[in-house]
Amino acid sequence: MSAELRAVVTIVPDEGLVSHVHTRVSGWIQDLFIRTTGERVRRRQPLATIFSQELLASQSELLAALSASPPGAPSPIAQGARSRLRVFGMTPTEIASLERRGEPWRNVTIVAPRAGAVLHRGITVGTSVDPSTELFTVVDLSRVWAIAEVPEATAAQVREGATAELDVPGSGLPPLEARVDFVYPTLSERTRTVRVRFVLENGEGVLRPGMFGTAVIAIAARQAL
């Protein structure tokens, strides 16, 4: 005998495509280029600028070391200042531009680590920040997860690789063919269900986190009377 298992699914972001943006220094937000959550950004797009005394001092130290050393001669002090700036989050390209410019930047730009949508903005202009402050959360929604809640009594019958048909009415898409990507090892005590994960491509962005749907999972045939 074979059967099908029906379960409710929820669309959530792929955890591997989530980036939390922090600064590596303390300072104050001077400019903010993202006004609302939900905005889409490109990789390396400016998100905000920060004024940091640590960054300003390290830039000045590098320029002073370069001006004090003979042209072309290696300077341990300058090399140490470059390393410190890289630790603070400045890229080699930005450091090279600083050396050509010959003058420190008062405000340093914070850029998006990946393309995607800004799902969280934790700052405004003038906010005092430190490395523990989450500035933004940027999520690439080109691939999402569908999480099914399978009742405890039937969870043992679901295996990774099992085929399923997912229907998310709010997306406007026809039912989608998918396979079980992962069965979570823990049980939700509140709902007495086991979570089952499906991976869905979402190039058009019509599958939005928070949407609900249904999954019909094929379970293995069994011998029965």
Side-chain angles (χ1 to χ4, degrees):
M1 299 180 64
S2 61
E4 294 177 335
L5 175 64
R6 291 183 176 272
V8 175
V9 298
T10 305
I11 303 300
V12 301
D14 183 333
E15 292 177 1
L17 300 179
V18 178
S19 294
H20 299 283
V21 181
H22 293 255
T23 179
R24 299 182 183 180
V25 293
S26 299
W28 293 266
I29 299 299
Q30 298 295 108
D31 302 289
L32 189 61
F33 306 123
I34 301 298
R35 297 302 180 184
T36 62
T37 58
E39 287 189 37
R40 293 190 175 274
V41 296
R42 305 178 308 276
R43 185 176 183 274
R44 306 294 300 172
Q45 177 179 328
L47 301 178
T49 64
I50 181 176
F51 168 73
S52 169
Q53 294 177 339
E54 294 174 278
L55 275 173
L56 186 63
S58 295
Q59 293 178 79
S60 300
E61 180 184 351
L62 172 59
L63 296 176
L66 291 175
S67 63
S69 59
S75 169
I77 298 177
Q79 187 58 38
R82 289 190 190 98
S83 299
R84 191 176 301 108
L85 289 174
R86 285 195 294 269
V87 169
F88 286 161
M90 291 187 69
T91 65
T93 302
E94 291 171 331
I95 295 173
S97 178
L98 167 66
E99 294 179 11
R100 291 193 301 269
R101 185 171 186 258
E103 182 180 350
W105 281 291
R106 176 179 172 81
N107 299 330
V108 176
T109 303
I110 301 167
V111 299
R114 65 165 72 242
V118 177
L119 296 192
H120 171 72
R121 177 175 65 87
I123 55 172
T124 58
V125 173
T127 300
S128 175
V129 299
D130 58 45
S132 67
T133 306
E134 183 177 321
L135 310 182
F136 303 94
T137 301
V138 180
V139 182
D140 181 357
L141 297 176
S142 62
R143 187 175 68 241
V144 295
W145 289 351
I147 303 296
E149 300 285 345
V150 177
E152 176 185 7
T154 54
Q157 302 177 53
V158 180
R159 296 285 186 270
E160 292 184 13
T163 59
E165 185 178 86
L166 275 60
D167 185 18
V168 184
S171 68
L173 297 173
L176 307 171
E177 296 292 330
R179 289 185 177 274
V180 175
D181 179 65
F182 184 68
V183 179
Y184 286 80
T186 57
L187 178 75
S188 172
E189 296 183 3
R190 183 176 60 86
T191 60
R192 307 307 299 177
T193 56
V194 173
R195 295 190 301 160
V196 176
R197 185 176 75 203
F198 303 90
V199 178
L200 302 175
E201 296 299 325
N202 188 35
E204 297 180 359
V206 294
L207 294 171
R208 306 174 188 273
M211 282 183 170
F212 288 99
T214 57
V216 179
I217 308 171
I219 58 178
R222 61 191 178 90
Q223 298 293 330
L225 179 61

